[in-house]
């Protein structure tokens, strides 16, 4: 490793760019400066699996590295609502679906699937899994990205998925430390606050991180979340907090791996020239890698701020050297891993794993009318109504998923009509569907976070007000029944992906049993772990 200030600083930068090929700016950086690595983003850099493989090859060939150490090439490929490398890959389930299975063995297998396919594409760091405990049903950004609301379950599943990723030769990144589950705000837009006491933090937020750290996770992502109790009552993003990243994480939890920031373009972090101030604070707090997005100006601001900080002794050179040593150790491990052939991508073996997860996750919460399993006359008419898929947070790729529920239902019954309604249906749409409902013998209606989307609630209530049997299905978070508690039948899939829709149809018609258990409570209705199993 070069000992220049520029070399030290370069190692701490995770670059990013806009386009399916490296920009001249990034190529120039890689050829003339040192870089820690590059982050690949779905809607900025991904066209297809083969294109990503070519892109990562180009990045590594272009980089001036010391010895044979590779770039860290990362992606936000969580599975579920965040398929960060595109739909050419196996549709890995989200964490909450895994939580509903209660199977760490399946979580490990899914980690292996994701890791193997990432590695085949040249991705050696996966920003997964989320260790957040989704204790707040109104959380706008975590939701099904969490394994559930029970810290022990979340820790067990996060440790298993993380181990599966690293067994496949890909660095697992625990996030969002020290916990983003009990927030009502999104750190993409401001500083969310977890206003909890020390005992609560250890009992809830920190327990999953402890479990996954003990399991050997090599990397961790800081959250831009404020924890006043750890910062003398001040609201400071944890990314910038020495008490969080050093005292708590390094000293108390004993984490010796690499810490990467959440994206530095988020609303919780100062932007423009003022970002340099936060860059310095984060470096002093022992943050290792800065996750930059595609603004070239922000790259220069961060790079120059750290160089100036070292030149003026605002940052300790010893602190930066220790940080870079951690990064280099991680790169050595990455360099020892073998890259699989592209034939592993979406292989039958991998598809079988995710279908098993979906089959074991689908959860029957209520069957008061005894409607399930379905026994329809052959000439019965079924309406399948689903909102259009939409990205509800920046950490979301749902709009790229195809609608597949009606197709899955038609596998078991011939007379099925499909209605794709706006994500927030207006009064005219609702009235039209209510009038049409009387033409059908059964209605299956999917909801997507209806507990936070009143228009979807209005649609479901209008359908429930008819004489036609209605099966509401929560195809994202499980809390939707809170908004229409009069429903006599209620099912959760925790996913809009095709394997989940196949599993749902199979369970509705009795081909497979309902095996899933609620990984969260449904407040005032059902407790954690509730299920009607068959």
């Amino acid at each position: 490793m070069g000992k220049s200030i520029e070399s030290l600083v370069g190692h701490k930068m995770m670059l990013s760019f806009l386009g399916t090929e490296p920009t001249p700016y990034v190529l120039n950086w890689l050829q003339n400066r040192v870089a820690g690595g590059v982050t690949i983003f779905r809607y900025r850099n991904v066209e297809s699996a083969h294109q990503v493989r070519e892109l990562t090859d180009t990045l590594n060939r272009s980089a001036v590295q010391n010895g044979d150490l590779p770039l860290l090439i990362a992606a936000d490929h969580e599975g579920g609502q965040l398929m960060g490398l595109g739909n050419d890959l196996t549709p890995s389930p989200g964490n909450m679906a895994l939580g509903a299975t209660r199977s760490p063995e399946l979580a490990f297998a899914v980690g292996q699937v994701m890791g193997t396919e990432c590695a085949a594409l040249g991705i050696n760091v996966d920003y997964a899994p989320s260790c957040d405990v989704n204790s707040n049903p109104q959380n706008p950004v975590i939701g099904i990205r969490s394994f559930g609301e029970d810290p022990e379950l979340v820790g067990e599943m996060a440790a298993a998925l993380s181990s599966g990723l690293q067994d496949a030769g890909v660095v697992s990144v625990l996030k969002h430390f020290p916990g983003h589950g009990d927030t009502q705000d999104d750190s993409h837009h401001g500083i969310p606050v977890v206003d909890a006491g020390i005992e609560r933090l250890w009992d809830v937020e920190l327990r999953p991180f402890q479990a996954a750290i003990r399991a050997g996770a090599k990397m961790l992502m800081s959250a831009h979340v404020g924890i006043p109790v750890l910062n003398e009552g001040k609201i400071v993003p944890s990314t910038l907090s020495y008490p969080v990243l050093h005292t708590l994480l390094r000293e108390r939890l004993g984490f010796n791996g690499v810490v990467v920031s959440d994206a530095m373009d988020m609303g919780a972090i100062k932007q423009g020239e003022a970002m340099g101030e936060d860059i310095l604070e984060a470096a002093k707090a022992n943050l290792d890698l800065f996750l930059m997005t595609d603004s070239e100006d922000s790259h220069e601001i961060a790079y120059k701020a750290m160089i100036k900080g070292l030149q003026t002794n605002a940052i300790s050179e010893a602190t930066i050297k220790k940080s870079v040593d951690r990064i280099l150790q991680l790169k050595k491990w990455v360099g020892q891993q073998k890259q699989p052939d592209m034939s592993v991508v979406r292989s039958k073996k991998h598809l079988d794993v995710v279908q098993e997860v979906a089959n074991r996750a689908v959860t029957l919460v209520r069957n008061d009318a005894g409607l399930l399993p379905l026994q329809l006359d052959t000439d019965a008419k079924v309406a399948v109504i689903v909102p259009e898929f939409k990205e509800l947070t920046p950490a979301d790729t749902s709009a790229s998923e195809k609608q597949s529920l009606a197709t899955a239902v038609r596998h078991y019954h011939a007379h099925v009509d499909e209605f794709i309604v706006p994500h927030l249906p207006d009064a005219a749409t609702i009235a039209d569907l209510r009038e049409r409902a009387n033409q059908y013998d059964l209605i299956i209606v999917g909801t997507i976070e209806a507990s936070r989307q009143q228009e979807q609630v209005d649609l479901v209530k209008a359908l429930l007000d008819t004489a036609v049997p209605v099966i509401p299905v929560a195809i994202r978070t499980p809390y939707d029944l809170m908004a229409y508690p009069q429903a006599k039948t209620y099912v959760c899939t925790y996913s809009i992906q095709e394997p989940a829709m196949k599993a749902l149809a199979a369970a509705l018609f009795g081909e497979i049993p309902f095996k899933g258990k609620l990984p969260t409570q449904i407040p005032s209705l059902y407790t954690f772990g509730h299920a009607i199993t068959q």
Side-chain angles (χ1 to χ4, degrees), residues 198-389:
I198 290 290
E199 289 186 5
R200 149 71 193 233
L201 287 173
W202 282 102
D203 287 345
V204 179
E205 277 76 15
L206 297 176
R207 281 178 65 186
F209 288 99
Q210 285 181 290
I213 288 169
R214 284 196 298 267
K218 296 181 180 296
M219 200 163 168
L220 179 147
M221 177 181 286
S222 67
H224 303 325
V225 171
I227 315 283
V229 74
L230 297 176
N231 291 282
E232 300 179 337
K234 300 174 184 175
I235 298 175
V236 179
S238 292
T239 297
L240 316 181
S241 171
Y242 185 89
V244 173
L245 296 189
H246 181 79
T247 308
L248 176 61
L249 181 58
R250 301 290 187 194
E251 294 183 351
R252 297 291 302 280
L253 291 175
F255 182 68
N256 296 315
V258 169
V259 180
V260 63
S261 73
D262 207 338
M264 294 300 290
D265 70 338
M266 292 164 68
I269 299 297
K270 295 173 186 172
Q271 298 300 300
E273 290 296 330
M275 180 191 286
E277 300 169 19
D278 281 356
I279 292 288
L280 287 180
E281 289 303 309
K284 288 189 283 187
N286 278 326
L287 186 85
D288 295 313
L289 288 167
F290 290 92
L291 197 172
M292 309 305 297
T293 51
D294 55 58
S295 164
E296 295 173 5
D297 288 343
S298 70
H299 286 68
E300 292 300 319
I301 289 167
Y303 183 73
K304 291 173 181 176
M306 280 189 284
I307 288 176
K308 185 176 180 180
L310 283 168
Q311 290 172 337
T312 61
N313 295 319
I315 317 173
S316 159
E317 187 169 333
T319 296
I320 301 301
K321 283 183 175 178
K322 285 181 182 178
S323 174
V324 171
D325 284 344
R326 289 190 288 266
I327 295 165
L328 294 178
Q329 283 299 117
L330 185 66
K331 288 188 172 190
K332 286 177 184 176
W333 183 84
V334 165
Q336 294 166 358
Q337 310 307 310
K338 294 182 179 179
Q339 187 172 21
D341 184 81
M342 287 291 286
S343 62
V344 302
V345 175
R346 216 178 172 91
S347 64
K348 182 181 183 303
K349 177 183 176 182
H350 289 181
L351 291 171
D352 287 346
V353 169
V354 301
Q355 191 61 59
E356 183 179 358
V357 173
N359 291 352
R360 290 175 60 177
V362 63
T363 305
L364 180 56
V365 176
R366 182 181 283 180
N367 192 26
D368 290 355
L371 189 59
L372 300 177
L374 292 171
Q375 295 180 340
L376 299 177
D377 293 340
T378 55
D379 59 351
K381 293 183 66 179
V382 177
V384 171
I385 304 172
V386 186
E388 64 183 359
F389 296 159

